[in-house]
Amino acid sequence: RVETNDERMLRAALRRQRLCLATTTRPDSSVAYLSLENGVMGASQEFGGYVASVGVALGKGSRHETPETNGVTAVVQSAALAEAQAAMAAIGGSVVAETGREATTYVATVLKEHADEAASILGGILSKPPSRAAFEVAKASALQKISDELPTTKDAIVEDMVQCAYLDTAMGMPVQGTVESVSALTLENAESLVAAAAPPPKVALCGAALSAELLSKFPANAPAPSSVPAPLPPPAVFTGSDKKMYYESHPVARFAFAYEFPSLNTEYAAACRILPYLIGPPASAAAATSLYEPYNSHVKLTRDHAEQDCSDSIEPFYLPFADTALFGVALTAKDVRVEDCMWYTCNNLVRLCFEVSEAELARAKLAFKADVLHSLATPHDVVSAYLHDLRIIGRVVSPPELIQRVADLDLKAVRNLAYTYVHDADHALAAIGPLHELPDYNWVRTASYNYHY
């Protein structure tokens, strides 16, 4: 297909704008809010450039499904995305979508003069059920993805771990559904999902001013009457458990385990955000340190694993939801190094309760700051972050405020958080591969405290 002029301009503008966007997140940068009488709320930030991103988060996810309709949200999102992509291409833009446990999000990136049109396209797909043909295509695609996929990536094994953490609850159902549930889905299920009551959507705009006219393009909850309150999702009850999938033919073992943590709408928010960086910063934060060799790493867990050659990768994570969260580590290790990998990982997690130093905390704050600025490199990234904040916190936490909140943390706050939620606590674990060395649940549970301390 021949690239249109609008698409070429969009690509060139994005390339230029990526270089200067971080400079717009200064302490004097302001986020504007706008709300309509129907409850639709939006946040926006203006800056120079030719590109804008507009996004919407609808409070419908796998947590709001039943076991019989598990996967319908992902199928409807896939069908809606295909329709939106065709419409967005006509104006030289692009759109991506994601279905999660608590919400479905769509983010479009276009030239600024097409922002209103992009909002109209996104608003239209929220209130319109898919056609039968589009539904069947999306359903077939979902079935193929589910049946062919093994959890051999970090995201996939973390997804399995989340299912373990919330066993027998709606929160623990797979986002994409199961082969059985998706096979049984009908177009009527999709139509019922679109018509179901839900909280008013959250809208974010980066690169242009948010107006009431643009915000009005997103329906509050059509066609459900406003007098019908959106049902509350079932509670997310954490259960200590593990799931092991033995594949001795796999070259490495992949596993992830996590503890139940408070969410971002609590007083622990800043400490929760910094904790993964004390264990080992994500790959995107690598620029925050000048020491790339694992043996010389600033992070003790990385040094321990390098000295023992007991892991191929370490990826700490913090997953916040509306009323709960998970903090843990995803790991990859050779089959004969799995037990040592778990021992040193658990020991370093317990260290957070007692032996975190001022130097470690200072390095983690620097890594966090670098990662925040790195993660807001495009209008799309900014919109995605704003939608996340609007859903969970109810307002946008700007980068300067976020960095300052973390900078104000002291060792006592970090240690108290770790002691409260890691020390002597249950965990959820999922693993796949050659797991003959992986300790059992009670071993890991016992390792959540250390007799040395």
Side-chain angles (χ1 to χ4, degrees):
R1 186 174 67 86
V2 178
E3 192 176 40
T4 66
N5 286 333
D6 276 348
E7 288 173 327
R8 279 195 293 271
M9 290 176 63
L10 178 65
R11 184 161 50 83
L14 273 173
R15 191 164 53 245
R16 292 192 299 270
Q17 204 152 318
R18 180 186 291 270
L19 300 177
C20 67
L21 183 58
T23 63
T24 69
T25 56
R26 303 183 303 272
D28 61 345
S29 297
S30 59
V31 177
Y33 295 93
L34 184 63
S35 298
L36 301 182
E37 291 183 0
N38 60 7
V40 178
M41 176 184 180
S44 67
Q45 182 176 354
E46 295 187 68
F47 58 90
Y50 301 99
V51 176
S53 286
V54 56
V56 58
L58 184 64
K60 294 180 180 179
S62 61
R63 186 177 181 179
H64 304 88
E65 300 169 347
T66 65
E68 293 74 27
T69 62
N70 186 208
V72 66
T73 307
V75 171
V76 170
Q77 174 256 291
S78 179
L81 178 62
E83 179 183 338
Q85 285 174 331
M88 212 66 70
I91 58 175
S94 62
V95 59
V96 297
E98 180 182 5
T99 299
R101 286 185 152 74
E102 297 180 315
T104 301
T105 60
Y106 300 88
V107 180
T109 302
V110 294
L111 295 173
K112 281 187 176 181
E113 56 264 32
H114 297 313
D116 281 356
E117 295 174 75
S120 296
I121 294 170
L122 295 183
I125 63 176
L126 294 185
S127 56
K128 185 175 69 173
S131 66
R132 184 171 297 278
F135 175 79
E136 293 300 334
V137 170
K139 177 179 172 179
S141 176
L143 282 171
Q144 182 177 4
K145 182 179 180 181
I146 296 169
S147 58
D148 292 347
E149 188 176 82
L150 279 176
T152 55
T153 65
K154 179 251 184 178
D155 290 341
I157 201 67
V158 169
E159 164 66 20
D160 272 28
M161 182 274 301
V162 176
Q163 295 175 33
C164 285
Y166 303 106
L167 281 175
D168 300 324
T169 69
M171 190 73 159
M173 293 192 300
V175 173
Q176 301 298 326
T178 65
V179 173
E180 293 76 15
S181 65
V182 175
S183 298
L185 292 177
T186 64
L187 181 60
E188 288 69 29
N189 296 135
E191 292 171 344
S192 297
L193 173 70
V194 174
K202 308 297 184 183
V203 178
L205 178 63
C206 181
L210 184 63
S211 64
E213 181 182 358
L214 186 147
L215 203 58
S216 65
K217 299 179 185 297
F218 296 94
N221 196 23
S226 58
S227 59
V228 179
L232 294 175
V237 180
F238 182 87
T239 302
S241 59
D242 59 22
K243 174 183 179 182
K244 300 176 182 178
M245 294 163 280
Y246 289 85
Y247 284 86
E248 297 299 331
S249 59
H250 284 197
V252 293
R254 295 184 181 273
F255 45 102
F257 68 106
Y259 300 90
E260 185 180 27
F261 255 59
S263 189
L264 293 177
N265 49 15
T266 68
E267 67 272 21
Y268 299 105
C272 288
R273 290 182 188 269
I274 196 67
L275 217 54
Y277 298 84
L278 286 164
I279 291 295
S284 58
T289 175
S290 59
L291 300 177
Y292 289 96
E293 299 83 359
Y295 287 101
N296 299 321
S297 173
H298 292 298
V299 183
K300 187 178 186 302
L301 175 61
T302 305
R303 293 198 306 272
D304 287 347
H305 280 224
E307 291 167 2
Q308 301 299 322
D309 189 27
C310 62
S311 72
D312 293 350
S313 68
I314 311 168
E315 297 182 68
F317 58 85
Y318 171 66
L319 300 178
F321 302 104
D323 55 349
T324 185
L326 295 171
F327 163 70
V329 187
L331 301 140
T332 304
K334 301 178 182 67
D335 58 348
V336 295
R337 305 302 294 155
V338 171
E339 184 175 10
D340 282 346
C341 178
M342 284 297 297
W343 192 91
Y344 283 99
T345 302
C346 292
N347 188 61
N348 276 275
L349 285 172
V350 177
R351 273 191 72 247
L352 296 174
C353 308
F354 304 97
E355 289 189 349
V356 179
S357 66
E358 292 285 357
E360 288 179 287
L361 183 59
R363 181 212 57 81
K365 290 178 179 179
L366 178 63
F368 175 79
K369 180 178 179 180
D371 197 35
V372 166
L373 296 177
H374 177 274
S375 66
L376 300 176
T378 66
H380 172 276
D381 296 334
V382 174
V383 166
S384 297
Y386 284 8
L387 290 175
H388 185 267
D389 285 351
L390 287 172
R391 281 198 309 104
I392 295 180
I393 307 173
R395 70 177 185 89
V396 170
V397 181
S398 66
E401 179 188 354
L402 183 56
I403 291 170
Q404 188 59 51
R405 283 175 175 267
V406 170
D408 292 340
L409 283 173
D410 57 17
L411 281 177
K412 182 179 179 180
V414 173
R415 289 173 177 172
N416 285 346
L417 174 68
Y419 189 86
T420 303
Y421 292 97
V422 173
H423 188 266
D424 198 12
D426 286 312
H427 67 278
L429 180 148
I432 188 172
L435 305 178
H436 54 273
E437 272 203 4
L438 184 65
D440 63 17
Y441 183 89
N442 289 329
W443 187 101
V444 181
R445 176 67 177 77
T446 303
S448 67
Y449 58 90
N450 193 316
Y451 298 114
H452 171 70
Y453 299 114

